[in-house]
Amino acid sequence: MNDAAKELLPADVEPRWQHGESVLISERSYAAHRVDHGSGEVTWWLLDDTDLRLQQNRAELLARMSNALMTSLNPERCMSVVAELAATHLADEVLVIAPGTTEGHAVTRCRRGEQPTHELLRVDVEEVVGLSEALKGFPPVPSRWIDPAAAPAWLAHDVSSIVVTPLPGHGVPAGALILMRRDGRFDEDEESFARLFASRAGVAMSAAWLFTQQAVITERLTMDLLPPLLRRYEHVDLAGRYRAAQDTERVGGDFYDVHEREDGELFVVLGDVCGKGLDAAVQTGRVRTTVHALLPVVADHDQLLRSLNQALLTSDRTRFITVVVATVTPREDGLHVRLTSGGHPPALIVRADGGVEAAKTRGTLVGILPEIVTTTDEVVLAPGDSCLLHTDGITEAVGGPLGDEEFGEQRLLRALGECRGMPAEALAEHVHMLASQWIGEGTHDDMAVVAITAPRRR
C-alpha cells in the first residue's frame, strides 16, 4: 500500500479483504476484488457497496416483515404486528391509527422494546397536519414532517421528529402510521423505506379488516338462514333439531318455522329444498320469507301451498321443495292438529300408549308443476301424545354396522314406539341422536325434526 492507502486504511484491513470479506471504512462498506497480473503481482480494488448492501438488507427486512404481517387476519393483532415491527426497525415510538368509526379511532401504540398497547380514542385528527389526509389514503399535506412542538398531547411528547405516512390498502385506506424519534431526524432514505413498509402493512391491515367484515356479514346472514329457537307455549310443547349435510357448514336445505296467529293457533312448517349447502340454504330463506308473507292473507293450507308453488315457479333460480304444514289449536281434550303435505314424508303420530301411526296426508311436490294437489288430515293429540315432523334426511340416513344401510321408516317407527309419553324436547333429541349414531362418521343429507306434544295435565 502506498502512503495514502496506509493513512486511509486500518492496519488490519488487508487480511479481511483477502478472505473475501467486506471491510468497513469510515462507516462505508467496501467489497474487495482481486486482479492477478502475469508478473505475479496482485492488485486489489476496493469498491464501495454500502448503498447496494443497504438495499439488499432492506429487501430482506421487508420480506421478513411481509411474512410477519401475513400471520394474522385479526385486525387488532395485525395492528400490533405493524406497530412492533415499525418500533423495532424504523422508529423509537410508533402509532398505528385505523380509520374512524362512530365510536372513535382504534389506536395501537408501541415503544421500542415494549409490548404494543391498544386503545379507542375520540380525537380530532385535524390537530395533526396531514393525518386526516393519510387516513383517507392520500399522502400527507402540506408536509410529512410534523413539528413536535405542535403535536397534541394524545399523540406524543419528548420527541424530536414525527413523520405521518398513509397505510394504503386494497383499494381502501387502512389507516395511518406515525413514526417518532426521541433524538435526531429521519432522513429521506429512511422516510422512503418507511413508505415501502407502510404499503405492505396497509395491504395486510386492509385484508384483516375486509376478512373480519366479511365474517361478520356471513355470521349475520347465517343466523337468518338457521332454523329458529322454538319458544315455550302454555298449551303446546314444541321442540326442533337441525343438522346440515356437511358438518363444516351450518346451513343447508332443510328448515322449519313456527308462527303464532292472533287467535292463538300455531302454524308450523317444515320443509326440504332440493340440494345441499349454501345455494339450498338461500332458497330456504326465500321460502321462509314467502310463507311468512302469505300467512296473513291465505285462509287454509291448500291455498298457502298453491300460492307458494306459484311464487317458486316465477323465480329465476328455483329449486323444488317438499313441505309439510301443521296448524295446532289447543282444545280442552288436548291439541287439534291439521296436517297437509306437499310431496313430503307424512307426519308420524306417537300415542301415549306407544302406538305410532302415519298421518293420512299427501300431496304434489311444490315448485315443479303449474298445479299441485294436496290432501289434509286432522288428528287430535291427547295429553302425552306427540306429532313428529321430519325430513327424509332421517329415514334415508346411511350407516349402520356395515355403513351401507338406510335408517329407514320401519326402524324409525320402532324407535318412536319406545318414546311414549316423552316431552317434545326429549322426543326430538332422541330421534336426532338415533340418526346421528346410525350415520357415524359417514356422509349424510340435511336433517330436521320438529316434535309437537300435548302436555299432560297436572
Side-chain angles (χ1 to χ4, degrees):
M1 291 187 290
N2 60 21
D3 292 340
K6 290 178 180 178
E7 183 178 347
L8 177 65
L9 302 179
D12 63 343
V13 71
E14 186 175 357
R16 295 208 309 273
W17 84 54
Q18 289 185 2
H19 288 85
E21 300 177 15
S22 293
V23 295
L24 189 65
I25 304 172
S26 300
E27 298 184 355
R28 302 293 294 180
S29 174
Y30 293 86
H33 295 269
R34 173 176 177 152
V35 178
D36 293 302
H37 302 286
S39 61
E41 295 180 339
V42 176
T43 301
W44 290 89
W45 293 87
L46 301 186
L47 304 182
D48 188 336
D49 65 352
T50 307
D51 293 337
L52 176 61
R53 284 184 174 273
L54 178 62
Q55 295 303 320
Q56 289 175 338
N57 291 337
R58 285 181 172 177
E60 292 174 1
L61 179 58
L62 278 176
R64 294 199 303 271
M65 287 177 166
S66 296
N67 290 335
L69 288 168
M70 294 304 174
T71 58
S72 176
L73 286 174
N74 177 281
E76 186 173 291
R77 172 60 184 156
C78 193
M79 290 177 69
S80 292
V81 173
V82 171
E84 198 165 7
L85 286 172
T88 301
H89 300 287
L90 303 176
D92 297 316
E93 186 174 349
V94 174
L95 259 70
V96 180
I97 304 180
T101 65
T102 55
E103 298 178 348
H105 291 270
V107 176
T108 299
R109 185 187 299 269
C110 186
R111 294 181 177 87
R112 181 170 294 178
E114 299 181 8
Q115 292 296 313
T117 59
H118 305 278
E119 53 188 330
L120 187 64
L121 297 180
R122 291 184 176 274
V123 296
D124 182 7
V125 296
E126 299 294 342
E127 292 181 328
V128 182
V129 177
L131 180 56
S132 63
E133 290 84 355
L135 289 170
K136 296 174 184 176
F138 299 108
V141 290
S143 173
R144 294 186 295 267
W145 310 95
I146 308 303
D147 181 5
W154 65 265
L155 177 60
H157 51 82
D158 297 332
V159 297
S160 62
S161 184
I162 302 176
V163 177
V164 177
T165 303
L167 293 166
H170 288 290
V172 294
L177 178 67
I178 301 180
L179 306 175
M180 293 168 280
R181 282 200 174 154
R182 304 192 190 287
D183 299 302
R185 295 178 59 85
F186 296 93
D187 59 35
E188 291 188 4
D189 269 354
E190 291 172 325
E191 191 275 332
S192 177
F193 181 64
R195 281 184 170 276
L196 288 175
F197 169 76
S199 66
R200 303 192 182 196
V203 169
M205 284 180 55
S206 68
W209 287 114
L210 290 172
F211 176 83
T212 300
Q213 184 182 42
Q214 187 63 48
V216 170
I217 293 173
T218 301
E219 178 67 18
R220 290 177 179 173
L221 291 175
T222 299
M223 292 304 296
D224 286 341
L225 294 175
L226 285 172
L229 294 174
L230 301 185
R231 52 162 290 199
R232 293 181 178 274
Y233 297 91
E234 183 179 357
H235 302 292
V236 182
D237 189 9
L238 280 175
R241 289 293 184 274
Y242 170 79
R243 181 179 178 184
Q246 299 295 329
D247 291 334
T248 55
E249 300 175 356
R250 299 176 60 192
V251 294
D254 287 5
F255 66 95
Y256 57 79
D257 272 310
V258 176
H259 305 271
E260 185 174 10
R261 296 178 182 269
E262 293 182 358
D263 58 4
E265 285 187 337
L266 296 181
F267 187 88
V268 183
V269 55
L270 178 142
D272 182 358
V273 171
C274 174
K276 305 175 185 176
L278 183 59
D279 288 344
V282 171
Q283 182 71 355
T284 68
R286 294 173 180 165
V287 171
R288 293 170 67 188
T289 301
T290 302
V291 170
H292 185 74
L294 288 173
L295 280 177
V297 296
V298 296
D300 55 35
H301 293 180
D302 185 67
Q303 187 179 359
L304 172 72
L305 293 179
R306 288 177 184 275
S307 299
L308 179 60
N309 186 64
Q310 291 302 313
L312 294 180
L313 288 175
T314 57
S315 174
D316 293 335
R317 301 178 61 185
T318 297
R319 296 166 178 257
F320 69 84
I321 69 170
T322 67
V323 62
V324 58
V325 294
T327 301
V328 184
T329 307
R331 298 280 177 85
E332 289 291 332
D333 54 350
L335 299 177
H336 183 265
V337 183
R338 286 184 293 123
L339 295 158
T340 305
S341 171
H344 199 80
L348 300 176
I349 312 303
V350 184
R351 299 298 181 184
D353 61 3
V356 182
E357 60 197 66
K360 299 178 178 60
T361 177
R362 63 186 63 188
T364 313
L365 295 172
V366 179
I368 194 170
L369 298 173
E371 296 292 335
I372 63 171
V373 177
T374 63
T375 58
T376 299
D377 191 15
E378 299 189 15
V379 298
V380 175
L381 300 181
D385 291 349
S386 297
C387 174
L388 183 77
L389 313 179
H390 68 282
T391 59
D392 58 13
I394 299 293
T395 54
E396 295 179 4
V398 177
L402 300 179
D404 59 354
E405 185 181 358
E406 286 190 353
F407 188 70
E409 294 182 7
Q410 292 304 314
R411 191 171 280 105
L412 176 60
L413 292 173
R414 288 197 299 272
L416 291 177
E418 301 172 358
C419 297
R420 58 183 181 275
M422 279 189 177
E425 189 74 24
L427 178 60
E429 177 63 24
H430 185 68
V431 172
H432 184 265
M433 180 189 66
L434 287 176
S436 297
Q437 289 177 340
W438 184 260
I439 293 166
E441 299 298 324
T443 59
H444 57 88
D445 197 358
D446 301 319
M447 297 186 294
V449 296
V450 171
I452 306 168
T453 301
R456 293 183 182 275
R457 296 193 181 106
R458 296 180 181 179

